[in-house]
Amino acid sequence: MIDSEKQRRLDTAELIDETAAGAAATSALPPDDPQHAGQTRSQWRDVWRQFRSHRGAMIALVLFIGVLLFVSLGPYVWTIDPTYVDIRARNSGFVAAHPLGTDQLGRDMLARLMAGGRVSIAVGLTAMIIAITLGGFIGVMSGYFKRLDAPLMRLTELFLALPLLPLLLLMVTLFREPLSQAFGPAMGIFILIVTAIGATSWMQAARIVRGDVLGLKEREFILAARSIGTPPRRMILRHVLPNVLSPIMVAATLGIATAIITESALSFLGLGFPPDFPTWGRLLFDAVDQMVLYPSRVILPGVFISLTVLCVNYIGDGLRDAMDPRIRGR
């Protein structure tokens, strides 16, 4: 009798796992094609196929990869030090030695754009990881545990009500010097900027994930898994997280764009990285005083910021269409 009861529980658990996997695949796959119903298809292959049909997202992906190659591999081709000062070549135009000119101190603009892009994109990626991790955790806890829903959502609404830019400026002002002394000027400011942006950008992801978890709790496989005594930790890791992966990935792509803009705004206000540590926002700040005489120094970093943010937004839009069956095919 005991053996048959254990076997029944094992069979039920296997059925629940298969149902949960099917639900996760359904949330990321387009409707079955009758002509290929008998073929076994990878869900990520189907997502990629649907993503390719979004022309704007594909163009944005190609451009974004181009920007990444420019900032990551470009310094190996163009080996001029972005911090090297050549007073004799200051304020030069577009010449062979400096294809994009130099600034008021003779520093090569092409090298500074590459170095600034590495920092800005690194800030965007790191701050996005912090925001998505924090927002996903709070969203899952709030949606799954009823007793935590009210306090966590009130905390989320409190952060949403705060004026984020003044809060960021206050955090930078208070912690800039201690972190710079502890980790060095560059690394200290990097840690401060990504932590400040990530700690003030998690609210939207938390609310999106919470909404999906609340709907997911009423699904049949969740109720069945709960009925056989599946512990909450296993329930969240095995059944809940795979089914909320789609909105988390979309929120992650959009979080990169938000972080890049926020870092650029802080650097433009002079509260970001030090002058010898270029970012795209810092290049804009340094060029403001001479933007009438040398407009290219403002246009070039501005174009890279706008292009990167636009590409990331289009990629996120394509991922949303590819992974959400409710709006697929519109």
Side-chain angles (χ1 to χ4, degrees), residues 42-181:
S42 168
Q43 60 174 347
W44 294 111
R45 188 179 303 157
D46 289 331
V47 169
W48 170 245
R49 184 181 297 112
Q50 181 65 31
F51 182 83
R52 286 188 304 177
S53 65
H54 195 298
R55 182 176 301 176
M58 283 302 297
I59 295 175
L61 180 62
V62 172
L63 292 176
F64 186 64
I65 292 175
V67 172
L68 291 179
L69 293 176
F70 173 75
V71 301
S72 59
L73 300 182
Y76 295 100
V77 178
W78 191 255
T79 56
I80 295 180
D81 187 353
T83 62
Y84 175 71
V85 176
D86 186 3
I87 297 298
R88 294 172 299 177
R90 66 189 185 94
N91 296 326
S92 67
F94 300 158
V95 296
H98 304 285
L100 297 182
T102 59
D103 62 4
Q104 66 274 15
L105 296 178
R107 295 173 294 190
D108 186 78
M109 284 299 298
L110 178 58
R112 290 178 67 77
L113 282 173
M114 294 176 184
R118 289 200 304 275
V119 177
S120 295
I121 294 177
V123 167
L125 290 173
T126 310
M128 176 272 296
I129 292 173
I130 295 174
I132 291 301
T133 302
L134 185 59
F137 176 78
I138 291 179
V140 170
M141 293 295 104
S142 176
Y144 189 81
F145 298 103
K146 188 176 181 179
R147 65 182 181 276
L148 296 178
D149 189 22
L152 288 179
M153 283 300 100
R154 300 298 83 77
L155 177 66
T156 303
E157 291 168 1
L158 173 64
F159 271 85
L160 285 172
L162 292 174
L164 295 185
L165 187 57
L167 180 62
L168 285 171
L169 296 178
L170 178 62
M171 293 175 67
V172 171
T173 304
L174 291 178
F175 300 107
R176 180 170 187 158
E177 290 301 324
L179 288 176
S180 296
Q181 294 176 1

Side-chain angles (χ1 to χ4, degrees), residues 156-274:
T156 303
E157 291 168 1
L158 173 64
F159 271 85
L160 285 172
L162 292 174
L164 295 185
L165 187 57
L167 180 62
L168 285 171
L169 296 178
L170 178 62
M171 293 175 67
V172 171
T173 304
L174 291 178
F175 300 107
R176 180 170 187 158
E177 290 301 324
L179 288 176
S180 296
Q181 294 176 1
F183 298 99
M187 182 56 65
I189 295 299
F190 181 84
I191 294 174
L192 173 60
I193 293 294
V194 299
T195 304
I197 295 175
T200 56
S201 305
W202 55 268
M203 294 81 71
Q204 289 79 9
R207 298 185 69 170
I208 292 172
V209 173
R210 171 186 175 268
D212 279 15
V213 172
L214 286 175
L216 195 64
K217 284 172 59 178
E218 306 303 323
R219 299 286 294 273
E220 291 81 0
F221 66 92
I222 293 291
L223 298 177
R226 189 178 299 150
S227 68
I228 65 172
T230 304
R233 179 176 176 274
R234 178 179 173 83
M235 184 85 75
I236 291 173
L237 295 178
R238 189 69 178 268
H239 304 310
V240 175
L241 282 181
N243 287 281
V244 298
L245 184 61
S246 172
I248 289 177
M249 291 183 63
V250 175
T253 57
L254 301 179
I256 296 175
T258 303
I260 291 175
I261 292 178
T262 305
E263 183 277 322
S264 300
L266 290 175
S267 297
F268 182 76
L269 294 174
L271 296 174
F273 291 90

